[in-house]
């Protein structure tokens, strides 16, 4: 079934002269890597096609992957195939014109209730959308798009960021086979890791102070609250403050960890992460969603923030009662 939808997407790519590719807002490595990777694969296979990336926001920490080039005009949309990658729901697409093309393709790996698109290729169990895009290079498919060093570098970036460097539960034998295909393109993995994971001295010092701000609920949910005032005091961008979620990712017994980051408009971004126990349903109840163990949400008051924390704590309490052997 998935082979059929992959071939259908490859057929559409072949048919259309103009292809426009978009991703989700507040992009991560997978969103940028998958879109830039597919852009490169199509451009290399079909040099005469007009292939665009069209998104309205960016991530400074991914600037090393390069910019997105020229934007399509409204006219370009008229006969275009639009492909949206790594985006569960339409409201998260970083492109208000996503529905202005002739046909819309969705390629994604998020858990969702409502979808969009004329053609949907969804594999929720995949560790990254980049892993899916690598699948389009499979030579047994009609119209397969070959990889090269450039596309492989983009795709590898997304694979390692979304799989937590091949540690998260979605990492499968297929993930490793896809990574191997990318490595065969002679990519510079050392530079990719350095670009992604080296931090400025100020950021390292901030992380050290953030460790001291970690709090723990009764059942072991670790959390950090970062107010706008705190961000401003430390001259942190929202993106830098948001990255703090990772300082809580290896505390024994803390199978759920949350970062609350106050936005400029006073709403609070919540980054939810977990191990063994699935946190996604909690995110879905607070204007969010994502993956089983890695989700995002937004709360609009301190009361809502407390309620979310309580739900997470109760979920972990139940999990620990019903399961043994967790660390
Ligand atoms: P984040 O903590 O923002 O990195 O999000 C973790 C995962 O959840 C990513 O795969 C996001 O695409 C997804 N996600 C974040 N926010 C939302 C949302 N409001 N709705 C659905 N998925 C989300």
């Amino acid at each position: 079934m998935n082979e059929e939808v992959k071939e259908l997407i490859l057929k559409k790519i072949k048919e259309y002269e103009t292809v426009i590719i978009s991703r989700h807002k507040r992009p991560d490595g997978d969103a940028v890597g998958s879109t830039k990777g597919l852009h490169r694969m199509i451009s290399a296979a079909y040099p005469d096609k007009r292939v665009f990336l069209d998104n309205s926001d960016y991530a400074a920490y991914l600037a090393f992957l390069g910019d997105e080039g020229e934007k399509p005009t409204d006219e370009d949309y008229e006969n275009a195939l639009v492909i949206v990658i790594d985006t569960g729901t339409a409201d998260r697409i970083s492109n208000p014109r996503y529905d202005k093309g002739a046909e819309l393709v969705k390629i994604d790996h998020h858990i969702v209730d409502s979808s969009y698109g004329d053609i949907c290729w969804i594999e929720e169990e995949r560790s990254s959308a980049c892993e899916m895009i690598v699948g389009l290079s499979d030579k047994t498919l009609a119209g397969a798009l070959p990889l090269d060093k450039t596309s492989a570098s983009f795709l590898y970036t997304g694979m390692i960021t979304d799989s937590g460097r091949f540690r998260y539960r979605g990492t499968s034998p297929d993930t490793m086979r896809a990574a191997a295909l990318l490595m065969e393109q002679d990519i510079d993995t050392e530079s990719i890791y350095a670009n992604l994971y080296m931090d400025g001295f100020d950021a390292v010092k901030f992380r050290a102070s953030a460790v001291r701000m970690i709090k723990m609920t009764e059942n072991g949910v670790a959390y950090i609250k970062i107010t706008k005032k705190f961000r401003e005091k430390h001259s942190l961008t929202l993106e830098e403050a948001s990255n703090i979620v990772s300082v809580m990712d290896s505390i024994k017994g803390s199978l759920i960890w949350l970062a609350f980051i106050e936005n400029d408009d006073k709403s609070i971004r919540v980054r939810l992460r977990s191990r063994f126990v699935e946190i996604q349903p909690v995110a879905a109840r607070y204007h969010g969603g994502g993956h089983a163990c890695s989700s995002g949400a937004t709360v609009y008051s301190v009361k809502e923030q407390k309620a979310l924390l309580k739900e997470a704590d109760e979920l972990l309490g139940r999990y620990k009662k019903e399961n043994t052997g967790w660390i």
Side-chain angles (χ1 to χ4, degrees), residues 24 26 28 86 88-89 91-92 109-111 162 245 269-273 287-291 294-298:
H24 65 75
R26 220 149 51 188
D28 52 19
D86 196 34
T89 49
D91 59 317
R92 300 203 70 234
H109 70 133
H110 289 92
I111 303 166
D162 248 37
V245 69
R269 175 182 184 188
V270 193
R271 304 192 80 193
L272 306 92
R273 302 289 185 267
H287 324 282
H291 306 290
S294 170
S295 294
T298 308

Side-chain angles (χ1 to χ4, degrees), residues 16 18 20 73-81 100-103:
Y16 278 85
T18 305
I20 299 169
T73 62
D74 286 347
E75 263 178 18
D76 289 324
Y77 270 87
E78 280 167 20
N79 290 307
L81 177 69
K100 300 285 183 259
E103 266 186 291

Side-chain angles (χ1 to χ4, degrees), residues 10 13-14 16 19 37-51 136-137 142-148 151:
L10 289 167
I13 289 172
K14 192 171 176 187
Y16 278 85
V19 182
L38 182 62
H39 177 275
R40 170 69 189 180
M41 286 161 82
I42 301 174
S43 308
Y46 301 105
D48 294 334
K49 280 192 198 300
R50 307 185 69 228
V51 192
L136 296 178
S137 72
L145 300 167
L147 294 165
D148 64 10
S151 54

